[in-house]
Amino acid sequence: MRFGIVTDSSCDLPESYTARENVSVVSFYVSFDGENYLREGKEAGITEFYQKMADNPDCYPKTSMPSVQDYIDAFRPLVKKDLPVLCICLTKHFSGSMQAAVSAKEEVEEEFPLAKIEVVDSQLVTGLQGLFVKEAVKLRNQDVDLETAVKALKKIRNTGQIFFTTKDLKYLEHGGRIGKAACLAGSMLNIKPILHFYNAELGSTELCRGRKKSLHKIIEKFLDYVEKEQIDLSQYTLITGVGLMVPEFETFQEDLKTAIKKKGYNIEAWDTMQIGATIGVHTGPYPMGLGILKKCEI
């Protein structure tokens, strides 16, 4: 390897992948009582996290970012092997995880003056951050050096787009994304938000009545975006994601496949992922959607 890769658990990559590809994952922390915090994906399983939310509708869990020491513990073994380090973090608009990584970099470089650590703001979240890490892995596996890899990765950060919805507005209200009046009205009218992540920010594009219609609207919004921006999907990676696994996720994917074919795009399969706690605390247990990120070119 020309360099080692570190990321935080908000990338939502499965452990089977990160272990196989030697990606070190620094965990966010999850708490249901505001006092006891468990490491996401290690001490707190994501399915169990969502199930607990589903079983306790009045429970609003919290997340806490990794500590400086967590990053030091991830950097040090790689540096001791004389490996440069690429650290990919959740967008700084959502968390201070990147700042903790920068502080850890400074401490490790003081301890090891010859160490080389690059901390990169992915400007992405959840599955898109995961795709970004996968692009980094591909470059590393092609024996690309760290400097060249960082330049290539930074060129694709602003290509990431996520279109998704969730079942319950109350988590968005609790997190300050919408007001109480809007939440109450939306709940009474069975209103679902259509959410769009782009340019490192999360925004609502519109509201839709009913879960089924909201899932169809996501697909419509996505394909409208692809057509409007004249995107060649062969140059992008597509991913779909879900929180707590529900039967409608399979239907959503089949509907997406059908809609893509009707538009003339030749995409038969794509990766699926489980959306993690970092986003889940804001969406509740039933987020569902899709995202795209451009592939790296050197």
Side-chain angles (χ1 to χ4, degrees):
M1 295 192 301
R2 297 285 292 274
F3 57 90
I5 299 175
V6 175
T7 189
D8 56 46
S9 63
S10 61
C11 68
D12 297 337
L13 288 169
E15 187 177 2
S16 57
Y17 174 84
T18 56
R20 182 177 72 248
E21 296 294 348
N22 294 308
V23 175
S24 300
V25 180
V26 178
S27 290
F28 271 75
Y29 293 85
V30 182
S31 176
F32 279 90
D33 59 13
E35 295 181 4
N36 299 298
Y37 283 84
L38 303 174
R39 290 182 297 168
E40 178 186 16
K42 295 178 181 178
E43 300 160 341
I46 303 305
T47 297
E48 292 75 19
F49 161 80
Y50 281 123
Q51 192 61 58
K52 192 165 184 177
M53 292 177 81
D55 294 341
N56 301 275
D58 295 325
C59 180
Y60 298 95
K62 298 178 180 179
T63 57
S64 178
M65 69 183 191
S67 68
V68 174
Q69 188 61 50
D70 289 333
Y71 277 109
I72 289 174
D73 292 342
F75 293 161
R76 191 177 278 135
L78 296 169
V79 168
K80 284 183 176 179
K81 294 177 183 177
D82 295 324
L83 277 175
V85 178
L86 170 59
C87 178
I88 296 170
C89 298
L90 170 68
T91 171
K92 62 184 178 183
H93 293 281
F94 277 32
S95 168
S97 177
M98 180 180 171
Q99 186 53 54
V102 170
S103 297
K105 159 189 162 75
E106 293 170 353
E107 288 197 33
V108 171
E109 287 180 341
E110 186 172 336
E111 182 182 357
F112 300 92
L114 297 180
K116 185 175 183 181
I117 302 171
E118 287 281 350
V119 178
V120 174
D121 180 355
S122 71
Q123 299 179 6
L124 302 167
V125 297
T126 186
L128 291 191
Q129 183 184 339
L131 293 182
F132 192 76
V133 172
K134 284 187 171 185
E135 289 299 311
V137 169
K138 289 176 186 176
L139 294 173
R140 182 204 64 191
N141 291 352
Q142 291 168 13
D143 207 31
V144 173
D145 64 76
L146 178 59
E147 184 178 355
T148 303
V150 169
K151 286 180 180 177
L153 287 164
K154 286 184 175 180
K155 289 178 182 178
I156 68 169
R157 290 187 296 190
N158 66 352
T159 68
Q161 304 275 330
I162 298 176
F163 300 82
F164 75 106
T165 187
T166 186
K167 216 169 187 177
D168 199 325
L169 290 169
K170 68 180 184 178
Y171 297 96
L172 292 168
E173 184 270 322
H174 187 78
R177 292 288 177 181
I178 61 173
K180 290 184 179 181
C183 178
L184 179 60
S187 298
M188 293 175 66
L189 296 171
N190 194 26
I191 297 295
K192 311 301 178 188
I194 308 300
L195 298 155
H196 186 193
F197 176 88
Y198 61 101
N199 292 336
E201 294 287 354
L202 178 63
S204 176
T205 57
E206 63 180 82
L207 300 174
C208 188
R209 181 172 291 183
R211 176 72 160 175
K212 189 174 181 179
K213 287 183 179 178
S214 71
L215 293 173
H216 286 156
K217 182 61 73 172
I218 287 171
I219 297 171
E220 180 185 318
K221 286 284 183 186
F222 163 64
L223 291 174
D224 285 349
Y225 168 78
V226 169
E227 191 170 341
K228 180 182 176 182
E229 299 298 323
Q230 299 182 323
I231 286 176
D232 179 359
L233 283 178
S234 68
Q235 297 178 4
Y236 285 70
T237 303
L238 172 67
I239 191 168
T240 54
V242 65
L244 190 63
M245 185 58 70
V246 288
E248 61 190 348
F249 184 53
E250 191 63 38
T251 304
F252 169 69
Q253 296 204 96
E254 288 301 319
D255 289 344
L256 175 60
K257 185 179 292 185
T258 299
I260 286 174
K261 280 187 177 180
K262 283 183 179 179
K263 288 288 186 179
Y265 302 116
N266 186 27
I267 301 177
E268 291 293 332
W270 51 79
D271 286 345
T272 64
M273 46 84 63
Q274 187 172 36
I275 300 165
T278 310
I279 295 298
V281 294
H282 301 291
T283 64
Y286 303 109
M288 194 179 301
L290 62 97
I292 54 169
L293 182 72
K294 195 169 187 180
K295 298 171 186 176
C296 269
E297 296 178 358
I298 301 177

